[in-house]
């Protein structure tokens, strides 16, 4: 199994002062973690974050990127720019992007191709809504998102998929370790059917109200290779405990 990966998605939170405080605490605590660690602050704080984690084990990622490299795309940020300032990861297809910005699987696929071309490692988010789960469609929804997002996947060496059931994001509700494991096993079997994807080497993160007190049992599941952490990544002690749960 590959090393676990724990990623913090700060969403639209933070200021120069909180970035300095949070990262200061994390950098001094995360020494040789035994897990890969990345944090994804808002765009405006990425440069500050890259400097703050320099010479630490923490990597920096963005929460989104453009599908374009440069040009007349007002308000967009290109993956080339992100790589240039020191980002190494990018979250793509987060449910909040799909919900509030109408992102389709085709757009996620285009962003993924651009991100990989720029040298970034993408973290592709998939997940079903409560209604989809209750109507028995969770697996087919996730399979469709995966196949749609990975249609231009050529060249991805380190594929990372984050399974984030929409009903568990920011709600305090978490999929049970067994529910998450069942979906992760499904995801791996879908990946096996996509030519050119190494399903075994791909890392499958769980996301949705992960906290210090549920991380360990999630990480104990066979197909859970880490976590994408939202709210809890804004509290250094909580995030560090999640990292610690993956280290032991
Ligand atoms: C997320 O938004 O990626 C997420 C998992 O959020 P939370 O941990 O707050 O549920």
């Amino acid at each position: 199994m590959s090393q676990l990966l724990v990623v913090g998605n700060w969403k639209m939170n933070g200021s120069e002062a909180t970035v300095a405080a949070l990262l200061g605490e994390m950098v001094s605590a995360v020494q040789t973690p035994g897990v890969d660690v990345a944090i994804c602050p808002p765009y405006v704080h990425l440069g500050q974050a890259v400097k703050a984690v320099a010479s630490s084990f923490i990597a920096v990622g963005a929460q989104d990127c453009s599908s374009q490299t440069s040009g007349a795309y007002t308000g967009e940020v290109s993956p080339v720019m992100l790589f240039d300032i020191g980002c190494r990861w990018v979250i793509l297809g987060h449910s909040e992007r799909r919900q509030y910005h109408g992102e389709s699987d085709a757009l996620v696929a285009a962003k993924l191709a651009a991100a990989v071309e720029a040298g970034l490692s993408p973290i592709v988010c998939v997940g079903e809504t409560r209604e989809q789960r209750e109507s028995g469609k969770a697996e087919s929804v996730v399979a469709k998102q995966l196949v749609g997002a990975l249609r231009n996947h050529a060249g991805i060496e380190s594929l990372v998929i984050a399974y984030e059931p929409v009903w568990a994001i920011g709600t305090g509700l978490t999929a049970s370790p067994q529910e998450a494991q069942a979906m992760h096993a499904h995801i791996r079997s879908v990946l096996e059917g996509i030519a050119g994807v190494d399903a075994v080497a791909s890392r499958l993160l769980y996301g949705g109200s992960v906290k210090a007190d549920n991380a360990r049992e999630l990480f104990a599941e066979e197909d859970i290779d880490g976590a994408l952490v939202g709210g809890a990544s804004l509290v250094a002690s909580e995030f560090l405990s999640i990292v610690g749960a993956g280290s032991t």
Side-chain angles (χ1 to χ4, degrees):
M1 197 182 79
S2 337
Q3 181 149 294
L4 293 194
L5 169 64
V6 177
V7 181
N9 173 14
W10 290 8
K11 309 197 187 196
M12 196 171 69
N13 294 294
S15 63
E16 288 200 3
T18 58
V19 171
L22 260 176
L23 291 184
E25 211 175 317
M26 287 185 195
V27 164
S28 51
V30 178
Q31 292 302 330
T32 41
V35 298
D36 293 330
V37 181
I39 51 103
C40 302
Y43 284 137
V44 290
H45 297 305
L46 287 173
Q48 184 191 357
V50 167
K51 289 193 184 80
V53 302
S55 72
S56 82
F57 289 90
I58 303 174
V60 174
Q63 298 170 17
D64 184 33
C65 71
S66 174
S67 60
Q68 304 297 324
T69 300
S70 64
Y73 300 99
T74 303
E76 291 283 271
V77 176
S78 121
V80 176
M81 295 168 175
L82 295 172
F83 189 86
D84 181 52
I85 65 158
C87 286
R88 293 297 173 260
W89 293 94
V90 63
I91 298 171
L92 295 177
H94 191 280
S95 63
E96 288 152 12
R97 302 283 326 161
R98 294 177 190 263
Q99 185 180 352
Y100 302 127
H101 302 273
E103 288 202 1
S104 63
D105 293 331
L107 182 57
V108 177
K111 290 183 173 191
L112 180 138
V116 172
E117 175 73 25
L120 296 174
S121 297
I123 299 165
V124 178
C125 300
V126 296
E128 81 286 357
T129 63
R130 178 187 291 279
E131 296 71 36
Q132 289 164 335
R133 174 159 283 262
E134 284 171 357
S135 58
K137 295 190 182 124
E139 292 199 346
S140 60
V141 165
V142 166
K144 184 169 170 293
Q145 290 172 333
L146 280 172
V147 172
L150 296 176
R151 67 184 79 175
N152 303 327
H153 67 275
I156 304 178
E157 277 167 25
S158 53
L159 183 55
V160 177
I161 304 293
Y163 168 56
E164 300 207 305
V166 178
W167 48 271
I169 296 180
T171 58
L173 298 172
T174 320
S176 68
Q178 296 71 28
E179 281 172 321
Q181 164 59 28
M183 184 58 89
H184 281 222
H186 171 65
I187 290 171
R188 223 180 277 285
S189 75
V190 173
L191 295 180
E192 269 162 19
I194 301 178
V197 171
D198 186 340
V200 176
S202 298
R203 286 191 282 186
L204 310 185
L205 313 185
Y206 171 76
S209 299
V210 175
K211 305 226 162 22
D213 59 11
N214 60 17
R216 196 175 297 278
E217 52 176 0
L218 286 162
F219 294 155
E221 295 293 336
E222 188 182 346
D223 288 295
I224 299 184
D225 307 315
L228 179 53
V229 184
S233 68
L234 292 165
V235 181
S237 58
E238 190 76 16
F239 188 67
L240 290 168
S241 297
I242 296 169
V243 170
S247 316
T248 49

